[in-house]
Amino acid sequence: PTTLSDMGFGFNGKIFWNNLLFTYDAYLVNGLSDGIILNDQGRTFLESGKSEERFAEDNNGSATFSGRLAVKSFKFGELGISYYSGIYNSFQIEGEIVDAKRNIEIAAIDFNTKIEKLIIQGELALNSIDVPKDISEIFGTKQWGGYIDIVYPIIQANILGFDNSVINLAARLERVDYSVGEFAETGHLTQFLQLRLLPV
Protein backbone atom coordinates (compact mmCIF):
# COMPACT_ATOMS: atom_id res chain seq x y z
CA PRO A 1 0.00 0.00 0.00
CA THR A 2 2.44 2.69 -1.22
CA THR A 3 5.28 3.67 1.13
CA LEU A 4 4.76 1.91 4.44
CA SER A 5 6.54 2.19 7.79
CA ASP A 6 5.60 -0.10 10.65
CA MET A 7 6.67 -1.21 14.13
CA GLY A 8 8.24 -4.62 14.56
CA PHE A 9 11.47 -6.56 14.36
CA GLY A 10 13.23 -8.89 11.97
CA PHE A 11 16.45 -9.58 10.16
CA ASN A 12 18.01 -9.11 6.75
CA GLY A 13 21.23 -10.03 5.03
CA LYS A 14 23.23 -10.59 1.88
CA ILE A 15 24.96 -13.65 0.44
CA PHE A 16 27.48 -13.44 -2.39
CA TRP A 17 27.83 -16.48 -4.65
CA ASN A 18 29.93 -16.38 -7.83
CA ASN A 19 28.69 -13.28 -9.69
CA LEU A 20 25.32 -13.19 -7.92
CA LEU A 21 24.08 -11.32 -4.86
CA PHE A 22 21.26 -12.90 -2.84
CA THR A 23 19.36 -10.76 -0.32
CA TYR A 24 16.75 -11.72 2.26
CA ASP A 25 14.44 -9.80 4.59
CA ALA A 26 11.96 -11.16 7.15
CA TYR A 27 9.98 -9.12 9.68
CA LEU A 28 7.15 -9.41 12.19
CA VAL A 29 5.22 -6.12 12.37
CA ASN A 30 1.94 -4.67 13.65
CA GLY A 31 0.44 -4.70 10.16
CA LEU A 32 -2.52 -3.06 8.45
CA SER A 33 -5.84 -2.44 10.20
CA ASP A 34 -9.61 -2.31 9.71
CA GLY A 35 -9.37 0.64 7.30
CA ILE A 36 -8.74 -1.83 4.48
CA ILE A 37 -12.52 -2.16 4.17
CA LEU A 38 -13.90 0.38 6.68
CA ASN A 39 -12.86 3.49 4.75
CA ASP A 40 -14.21 6.46 2.82
CA GLN A 41 -13.17 4.96 -0.55
CA GLY A 42 -16.18 2.64 -0.65
CA ARG A 43 -14.04 -0.33 -1.72
CA THR A 44 -11.22 -2.56 -0.57
CA PHE A 45 -8.27 -0.18 -0.38
CA LEU A 46 -5.03 -1.30 1.25
CA GLU A 47 -3.64 2.21 1.67
CA SER A 48 -6.53 3.05 4.01
CA GLY A 49 -5.36 0.22 6.27
CA LYS A 50 -2.41 2.35 7.38
CA SER A 51 -3.03 3.85 10.81
CA GLU A 52 -0.92 6.08 13.07
CA GLU A 53 -1.96 3.83 15.98
CA ARG A 54 0.26 1.03 14.65
CA PHE A 55 3.29 2.93 16.00
CA ALA A 56 1.90 2.66 19.53
CA GLU A 57 -0.06 -0.62 19.57
CA ASP A 58 -1.48 -3.32 17.34
CA ASN A 59 -5.23 -3.18 16.76
CA ASN A 60 -5.59 -6.95 17.27
CA GLY A 61 -2.45 -8.14 19.07
CA SER A 62 -1.52 -10.45 16.20
CA ALA A 63 1.78 -10.03 14.35
CA THR A 64 1.96 -9.75 10.56
CA PHE A 65 4.75 -11.37 8.55
CA SER A 66 6.57 -9.52 5.77
CA GLY A 67 9.44 -10.95 3.76
CA ARG A 68 11.40 -10.66 0.52
CA LEU A 69 13.96 -12.78 -1.33
CA ALA A 70 15.93 -11.41 -4.26
CA VAL A 71 18.78 -12.30 -6.57
CA LYS A 72 20.87 -9.69 -8.32
CA SER A 73 23.22 -10.06 -11.24
CA PHE A 74 25.39 -7.00 -11.79
CA LYS A 75 25.15 -7.77 -15.50
CA PHE A 76 21.43 -8.51 -15.93
CA GLY A 77 19.65 -6.81 -13.02
CA GLU A 78 17.59 -7.89 -10.01
CA LEU A 79 14.57 -10.16 -9.50
CA GLY A 80 12.70 -10.30 -6.20
CA ILE A 81 9.68 -12.01 -4.65
CA SER A 82 7.79 -10.69 -1.63
CA TYR A 83 5.10 -12.01 0.71
CA TYR A 84 2.95 -10.28 3.33
CA SER A 85 0.40 -12.06 5.55
CA GLY A 86 -1.49 -11.26 8.73
CA ILE A 87 -4.80 -10.58 10.47
CA TYR A 88 -5.98 -7.03 9.79
CA ASN A 89 -9.29 -6.64 11.64
CA SER A 90 -10.03 -5.88 15.30
CA PHE A 91 -11.53 -9.27 16.09
CA GLN A 92 -11.51 -8.75 19.87
CA ILE A 93 -12.15 -5.82 22.17
CA GLU A 94 -10.89 -6.02 25.77
CA GLY A 95 -10.64 -9.79 25.46
CA GLU A 96 -14.14 -10.27 24.04
CA ILE A 97 -14.35 -11.87 20.56
CA VAL A 98 -16.44 -9.58 18.34
CA ASP A 99 -15.61 -10.87 14.85
CA ALA A 100 -13.90 -13.71 13.02
CA LYS A 101 -10.18 -13.31 12.33
CA ARG A 102 -9.78 -11.89 8.84
CA ASN A 103 -6.52 -12.34 6.98
CA ILE A 104 -4.80 -10.42 4.22
CA GLU A 105 -2.16 -11.89 1.93
CA ILE A 106 -0.05 -10.05 -0.62
CA ALA A 107 2.37 -11.74 -3.01
CA ALA A 108 4.53 -9.72 -5.38
CA ILE A 109 7.32 -10.06 -7.89
CA ASP A 110 9.56 -7.17 -8.90
CA PHE A 111 12.44 -6.67 -11.30
CA ASN A 112 14.82 -4.08 -12.65
CA THR A 113 17.40 -4.17 -15.40
CA LYS A 114 19.57 -1.77 -17.36
CA ILE A 115 20.41 -1.88 -21.06
CA GLU A 116 23.11 0.66 -21.76
CA LYS A 117 21.48 3.85 -20.37
CA LEU A 118 17.91 2.51 -20.54
CA ILE A 119 16.41 1.48 -17.19
CA ILE A 120 13.42 -0.92 -17.08
CA GLN A 121 11.72 -1.76 -13.81
CA GLY A 122 8.36 -3.10 -12.72
CA GLU A 123 6.28 -5.00 -10.22
CA LEU A 124 3.22 -7.28 -10.16
CA ALA A 125 1.21 -7.79 -6.94
CA LEU A 126 -1.67 -10.13 -6.06
CA ASN A 127 -3.87 -9.45 -3.01
CA SER A 128 -6.23 -11.79 -1.20
CA ILE A 129 -8.43 -10.22 1.49
CA ASP A 130 -10.88 -12.02 3.76
CA VAL A 131 -14.04 -9.88 3.67
CA PRO A 132 -17.38 -10.58 5.43
CA LYS A 133 -19.68 -12.40 3.00
CA ASP A 134 -22.51 -9.89 3.36
CA ILE A 135 -20.34 -7.10 1.88
CA SER A 136 -18.15 -9.12 -0.50
CA GLU A 137 -20.20 -7.83 -3.47
CA ILE A 138 -19.00 -4.29 -2.69
CA PHE A 139 -15.57 -4.92 -1.22
CA GLY A 140 -13.30 -7.03 -3.42
CA THR A 141 -11.62 -10.13 -2.01
CA LYS A 142 -9.10 -10.54 -4.84
CA GLN A 143 -7.03 -7.75 -6.38
CA TRP A 144 -4.07 -7.48 -8.67
CA GLY A 145 -2.02 -4.71 -10.16
CA GLY A 146 1.26 -4.06 -11.86
CA TYR A 147 3.40 -1.51 -13.63
CA ILE A 148 6.41 -1.21 -15.90
CA ASP A 149 8.61 1.90 -15.93
CA ILE A 150 10.94 2.75 -18.79
CA VAL A 151 13.45 5.51 -18.00
CA TYR A 152 16.06 7.05 -20.29
CA PRO A 153 18.40 9.96 -19.42
CA ILE A 154 18.29 12.61 -22.15
CA ILE A 155 20.37 15.38 -20.54
CA GLN A 156 23.20 15.16 -18.04
CA ALA A 157 24.84 18.47 -17.21
CA ASN A 158 25.32 21.15 -14.59
CA ILE A 159 21.91 22.80 -14.27
CA LEU A 160 21.14 25.85 -12.11
CA GLY A 161 24.27 25.26 -10.05
CA PHE A 162 23.64 21.56 -9.44
CA ASP A 163 26.52 19.37 -10.59
CA ASN A 164 25.83 16.25 -12.66
CA SER A 165 22.09 16.91 -12.89
CA VAL A 166 20.09 14.45 -14.99
CA ILE A 167 16.84 14.97 -16.87
CA ASN A 168 15.11 11.67 -17.64
CA LEU A 169 12.38 10.79 -20.09
CA ALA A 170 10.11 8.24 -18.42
CA ALA A 171 6.98 6.33 -19.33
CA ARG A 172 4.83 4.05 -17.19
CA LEU A 173 2.33 1.38 -18.20
CA GLU A 174 0.15 0.27 -15.29
CA ARG A 175 -2.98 -1.71 -14.66
CA VAL A 176 -4.98 -2.48 -11.52
CA ASP A 177 -8.08 -4.55 -10.83
CA TYR A 178 -9.62 -3.64 -7.46
CA SER A 179 -12.09 -6.55 -7.54
CA VAL A 180 -11.18 -9.51 -9.75
CA GLY A 181 -14.20 -10.73 -11.71
CA GLU A 182 -17.54 -9.01 -12.25
CA PHE A 183 -20.07 -7.44 -9.93
CA ALA A 184 -23.20 -9.62 -9.99
CA GLU A 185 -25.57 -6.63 -10.14
CA THR A 186 -23.90 -4.69 -12.96
CA GLY A 187 -21.59 -7.17 -14.69
CA HIS A 188 -18.93 -4.44 -14.76
CA LEU A 189 -15.23 -5.02 -14.27
CA THR A 190 -13.25 -2.71 -11.98
CA GLN A 191 -10.02 -2.40 -13.93
CA PHE A 192 -7.86 0.54 -14.81
CA LEU A 193 -5.29 0.73 -17.63
CA GLN A 194 -3.12 3.76 -18.17
CA LEU A 195 -0.08 4.82 -20.18
CA ARG A 196 1.51 8.06 -19.12
CA LEU A 197 4.69 10.07 -19.38
CA LEU A 198 6.27 10.80 -16.03
CA PRO A 199 8.24 13.93 -15.13
CA VAL A 200 11.44 12.73 -13.47
Side-chain angles (χ1 to χ4, degrees):
T2 70
T3 303
L4 176 65
S5 298
D6 210 339
M7 293 291 292
F9 71 95
F11 60 89
N12 60 75
K14 300 177 181 180
I15 299 173
F16 291 91
W17 183 71
N18 290 338
N19 294 321
L20 299 176
L21 171 63
F22 295 88
T23 61
Y24 57 88
D25 302 82
Y27 302 96
L28 291 176
V29 297
N30 283 343
L32 299 171
S33 64
D34 302 272
I36 289 176
I37 58 173
L38 302 177
N39 56 60
D40 56 7
Q41 299 291 318
R43 58 178 168 83
T44 304
F45 193 55
L46 300 193
E47 187 174 349
S48 294
K50 297 189 296 184
S51 169
E52 294 298 328
E53 294 179 0
R54 71 184 182 281
F55 294 110
E57 62 181 357
D58 192 0
N59 69 313
N60 54 34
S62 179
T64 294
F65 172 79
S66 175
R68 181 176 184 267
L69 296 172
V71 58
K72 181 175 182 178
S73 164
F74 294 98
K75 183 178 180 180
F76 298 106
E78 183 179 34
L79 178 67
I81 56 172
S82 307
Y83 182 70
Y84 180 100
S85 178
I87 297 169
Y88 70 88
N89 68 317
S90 303
F91 62 88
Q92 61 180 348
I93 299 177
E94 297 182 354
E96 293 292 327
I97 302 300
V98 296
D99 192 7
K101 296 180 179 179
R102 305 198 181 280
N103 197 59
I104 175 175
E105 292 181 296
I106 306 170
I109 183 169
D110 64 90
F111 74 94
N112 66 71
T113 188
K114 189 174 182 180
I115 304 172
E116 299 295 337
K117 294 183 178 181
L118 182 69
I119 298 172
I120 304 173
Q121 58 190 17
E123 184 173 14
L124 174 67
L126 306 172
N127 305 335
S128 178
I129 306 100
D130 184 7
V131 173
K133 290 184 178 179
D134 56 345
I135 60 171
S136 60
E137 177 65 17
I138 301 172
F139 294 90
T141 59
K142 301 286 184 184
Q143 300 178 322
W144 73 269
Y147 76 90
I148 294 177
D149 282 345
I150 300 174
V151 182
Y152 190 83
I154 55 175
I155 297 176
Q156 184 171 357
N158 297 333
I159 301 175
L160 300 177
F162 294 98
D163 296 336
N164 299 318
S165 299
V166 179
I167 297 178
N168 292 319
L169 178 64
R172 167 173 287 191
L173 179 64
E174 60 186 19
R175 184 168 184 171
V176 61
D177 187 342
Y178 294 113
S179 181
V180 174
E182 298 179 353
F183 288 118
E185 293 184 1
T186 64
H188 291 164
L189 299 175
T190 53
Q191 298 182 357
F192 178 68
L193 176 65
Q194 180 171 330
L195 173 63
R196 56 179 171 165
L197 295 179
L198 302 176
V200 177

